[in-house]
Amino acid sequence: MKLITKFKNSVFAKLVGAFLIAILPVCFIAIGLYNWQIKILDESTVDAFDNSSRKCLASIEKELKKVQDMGLSSMHDEDLIMLATASSTMSNYQKTLSINRYMNRLEILKNSSAYINEVSTYIPELSRVVDSDRDIYSDASSLLTLYDISRQQNVGHFVVSNNQLYYVFVPAGTPNGSLPKYFITVGLSKEEIKKELSTIKEARQAMIYDEAGSYVYYNQEGTGTPNADLAQTVGTGSEPGVGKVMVEGESSWLVNHKSELMGVNLAAYVPVQGINPQMKDLRMYFVIFSAILIITVMVLSYSMYKIIKTPLNRLVKVFKQIETGSLGVRLKHRSNDEFGLLYHSFNSMAEKNQDLMEQVYQQKILTQSAQLKQLQSQINPHFLYNSFFVISNMARLGDFDSIKLFSEYLARYYRFIMQKKDGDIPFSQEVEHTRVYADIQKIRFGDRIQIEMEEVPERASHLRVPRLILQPLVENAFEHGLRHVESDGLLRITFAEEANILTVVVENNGPMDDETLENVKAKLIDDGGEISGMINIHKRLKSRFGQDSGISVSRGEAGGMKITMKICGVENV
């Protein structure tokens, strides 16, 4: 949604919109001509499609009328009548002669039309079926089924059974519900009628169906069953004539005509898009015309893009570079036009911003340096006083070995503190300095405390960190916790490196009330509050290693304060 709004408000979108408005009248005229031509072609081709289907139906009716006439003529065959009504008075020889003559008549009837597939006659008096293939058999179940269907479905016309078209000839005057003396069934050739249906011009499919919606004889390329959509359309009472329907999701023309002779309907359809090849040519011309218009708009838009949008993109790109901290970028423009003036103003603004940012940065560095020096000056005098007091006590007791060791620790401690080197140091040096400080405090406190300090992980030992980020935390543990412990004091320092994050935990079991703990937490969150040693370390870590780094405090398992220091980016070692 934001991208859409941004595009709508851009100069480029307004230029494209202006071009589109200019060509809209041409587009409307083209669409009107296209629809008018389509309508003319539609009317002419639909009429041709309808006439072709009527011609096909008339041809089928003509051929089947011949079949009907010959079938009715066969009903009056003397041999058939004798076999059906007086077979009991005939000798076997006479029956044989009559049956042979009648089978010849059936064979002639079958061969009289390519539409006839088979002819069978059932004679209840003989309990036999005689067919055009010169077969005689007693199983008349299939013929009796056809007879029952003819009584129910379409009396006096062609009937549908098992996807096949039949004609059942019954003697006149036979009451409904009773079996006639004889009847003749004529099975029509599906292939011949299918061939005739294929003559319907442009038809995707043609079919013959009865009043019940049962289909028979179809013509559809590549399938063995009628199209389901077409069968459903004509089965739900499609009106006779020509109309538009949806078949297979396509808008199609449907012709539907009833045959009074056969008592069935012929239906055929053709998709609107495929009814006339000329429509494809017309559609191609329209597509070409539309493509030319689109290309014209694109060319004009691209030209305007080169003139206006490209300089604007350059300006936006430089703005983004400045946002990422590249303050030294400038723009050049060869033409002395409006964009040249805009670029000149931008360069002046960028130069002033760069000067201002450098001043602010230098001021920030000076402030941080002053805060650090102030913190160091606050820590060192107090520690030095305590150290001299310890040396005095050891001298009074005559413990010269301890004085020597203690003095060595002090020398190493102050040598690290007094170094004037700027920049970062390896984390291993910071840990070693902290270990020296802890040893000094161990001598000072004696058996009152125990110190547990783990080794630094190998990869983390090479990590470069700001000076004095760990030792002040240990000093805090002594000054605000362990100095109040008379015995069994514990200082634990652990290191862990996981997922490129170094975690250092400084924990003691000195007394710590909830109010003091909450006060420290609040100061760590409040960036503008008083800057103490812990707060100073917290800010420096966040500034150096990112916002996810820093210090957090909580109550440890031993009961005292637990300080957790996180340093992200160990993978950059």
Side-chain angles (χ1 to χ4, degrees), residues 333-401:
H333 193 64
R334 285 179 279 182
S335 300
N336 189 21
D337 55 11
E338 289 80 2
F339 283 105
L341 178 61
L342 181 61
Y343 284 8
H344 177 73
S345 300
F346 170 82
N347 291 337
S348 299
M349 179 197 69
E351 189 170 351
K352 292 179 181 179
N353 284 341
Q354 184 178 10
D355 293 339
L356 181 61
M357 290 293 291
E358 288 176 355
Q359 292 175 10
V360 172
Y361 180 77
Q362 291 296 329
Q363 183 66 28
K364 181 177 180 181
I365 295 298
L366 293 174
T367 301
Q368 290 180 347
S369 177
Q371 291 173 347
L372 178 59
K373 290 179 179 179
Q374 181 184 11
L375 176 65
Q376 291 176 343
S377 66
Q378 292 173 351
I379 294 174
N380 291 337
H382 183 68
F383 178 75
L384 185 61
Y385 168 78
N386 289 333
S387 298
F388 284 147
F389 184 77
V390 170
I391 292 174
S392 174
N393 286 336
M394 287 190 294
R396 189 166 47 250
L397 295 174
D399 190 357
F400 301 109
D401 291 336

Side-chain angles (χ1 to χ4, degrees), residues 194-469:
K194 189 175 179 181
K195 187 187 300 182
E196 189 67 40
L197 291 175
S198 67
T199 63
I200 300 177
K201 184 180 180 181
E202 303 295 339
R204 173 74 63 84
Q205 184 186 53
M207 61 182 289
I208 293 177
Y209 67 99
D210 63 7
E211 294 178 352
S214 301
Y215 59 81
V216 66
Y217 301 128
Y218 50 88
N219 174 36
Q220 184 178 20
E221 183 179 354
T223 66
T225 57
N227 181 277
D229 287 348
L230 178 60
Q232 182 179 7
T233 299
V234 299
T236 53
S238 175
E239 292 294 330
V242 182
K244 277 188 177 181
V245 294
M246 294 298 294
V247 182
E248 288 188 312
E250 291 183 292
S251 178
S252 305
W253 286 106
L254 172 70
V255 294
N256 188 13
H257 299 298
K258 183 174 181 61
S259 170
E260 298 297 337
L261 172 67
M262 296 186 292
V264 292
N265 287 52
L266 181 148
Y269 87 93
V270 60
V272 172
Q273 299 298 327
I275 195 170
N276 196 313
Q278 295 177 353
M279 290 186 181
K280 295 181 180 179
D281 296 335
L282 187 61
R283 189 177 298 109
M284 181 184 66
Y285 296 145
F286 182 78
V287 170
I288 292 174
F289 177 78
S290 300
I292 292 174
L293 286 179
I294 293 173
I295 292 173
T296 301
V297 172
M298 295 302 295
V299 170
L300 291 175
S301 299
Y302 181 75
S303 299
M304 299 304 295
Y305 175 86
K306 295 292 291 183
I307 297 172
I308 297 178
K309 190 65 176 180
T310 301
L312 289 178
N313 281 341
R314 288 183 59 198
L315 186 61
V316 172
K317 183 178 180 180
V318 172
F319 270 119
K320 291 182 178 179
Q321 289 178 337
I322 289 181
E323 288 179 356
T324 59
S326 301
L327 301 179
V329 294
R330 299 294 184 267
L331 285 170
K332 295 181 180 180
H333 193 64
R334 285 179 279 182
S335 300
N336 189 21
D337 55 11
E338 289 80 2
F339 283 105
L341 178 61
L342 181 61
Y343 284 8
H344 177 73
S345 300
F346 170 82
N347 291 337
S348 299
M349 179 197 69
E351 189 170 351
K352 292 179 181 179
N353 284 341
Q354 184 178 10
D355 293 339
L356 181 61
M357 290 293 291
E358 288 176 355
Q359 292 175 10
V360 172
Y361 180 77
Q362 291 296 329
Q363 183 66 28
K364 181 177 180 181
I365 295 298
L366 293 174
T367 301
Q368 290 180 347
S369 177
Q371 291 173 347
L372 178 59
K373 290 179 179 179
Q374 181 184 11
L375 176 65
Q376 291 176 343
S377 66
Q378 292 173 351
I379 294 174
N380 291 337
H382 183 68
F383 178 75
L384 185 61
Y385 168 78
N386 289 333
S387 298
F388 284 147
F389 184 77
V390 170
I391 292 174
S392 174
N393 286 336
M394 287 190 294
R396 189 166 47 250
L397 295 174
D399 190 357
F400 301 109
D401 291 336
S402 296
I403 292 175
K404 179 181 178 182
L405 181 62
F406 191 78
S407 299
E408 290 178 356
Y409 285 154
L410 283 177
R412 292 168 61 184
Y413 172 80
Y414 277 106
R415 182 167 59 247
F416 183 88
I417 289 293
M418 296 304 177
Q419 286 179 349
K420 296 183 179 181
K421 294 181 180 179
D422 295 327
D424 299 336
I425 62 172
F427 185 62
S428 58
Q429 293 186 15
E430 178 69 20
V431 173
E432 181 61 26
H433 171 66
T434 303
R435 195 184 303 275
V436 169
Y437 175 80
D439 290 339
I440 292 173
Q441 295 290 34
K442 172 63 177 173
I443 294 175
R444 174 189 170 192
F445 283 87
D447 294 336
R448 289 167 55 191
I449 63 169
Q450 295 295 325
I451 299 176
E452 298 178 3
M453 189 170 182
E454 294 183 352
E455 294 297 326
V456 182
E458 177 63 24
R459 188 164 67 151
S461 65
H462 303 290
L463 177 68
R464 300 194 68 82
V465 299
R467 291 163 53 87
L468 296 175
I469 62 170

Side-chain angles (χ1 to χ4, degrees), residues 114-243:
Y115 277 56
I116 298 178
N117 195 44
E118 61 179 2
V119 183
S120 301
T121 302
Y122 176 58
I123 306 173
E125 182 75 16
L126 297 177
S127 297
R128 290 291 185 273
V129 176
V130 181
D131 65 19
S132 56
D133 292 330
R134 306 190 70 82
D135 288 333
I136 302 175
Y137 49 92
S138 59
D139 185 9
S141 58
S142 61
L143 270 66
L144 290 172
T145 300
L146 286 175
Y147 173 76
D148 291 336
I149 293 174
S150 70
R151 299 294 91 187
Q152 301 169 10
Q153 190 181 77
N154 202 356
V155 178
H157 293 289
F158 293 87
V159 295
V160 178
S161 176
N162 295 326
N163 203 20
Q164 183 79 20
L165 198 61
Y166 294 89
Y167 200 108
V168 180
F169 297 94
V170 179
T174 301
N176 276 335
S178 62
L179 189 64
K181 294 292 184 180
Y182 59 90
F183 61 89
I184 301 173
T185 63
V186 178
L188 301 179
S189 172
K190 179 185 295 186
E191 294 302 319
E192 288 300 318
I193 297 183
K194 189 175 179 181
K195 187 187 300 182
E196 189 67 40
L197 291 175
S198 67
T199 63
I200 300 177
K201 184 180 180 181
E202 303 295 339
R204 173 74 63 84
Q205 184 186 53
M207 61 182 289
I208 293 177
Y209 67 99
D210 63 7
E211 294 178 352
S214 301
Y215 59 81
V216 66
Y217 301 128
Y218 50 88
N219 174 36
Q220 184 178 20
E221 183 179 354
T223 66
T225 57
N227 181 277
D229 287 348
L230 178 60
Q232 182 179 7
T233 299
V234 299
T236 53
S238 175
E239 292 294 330
V242 182

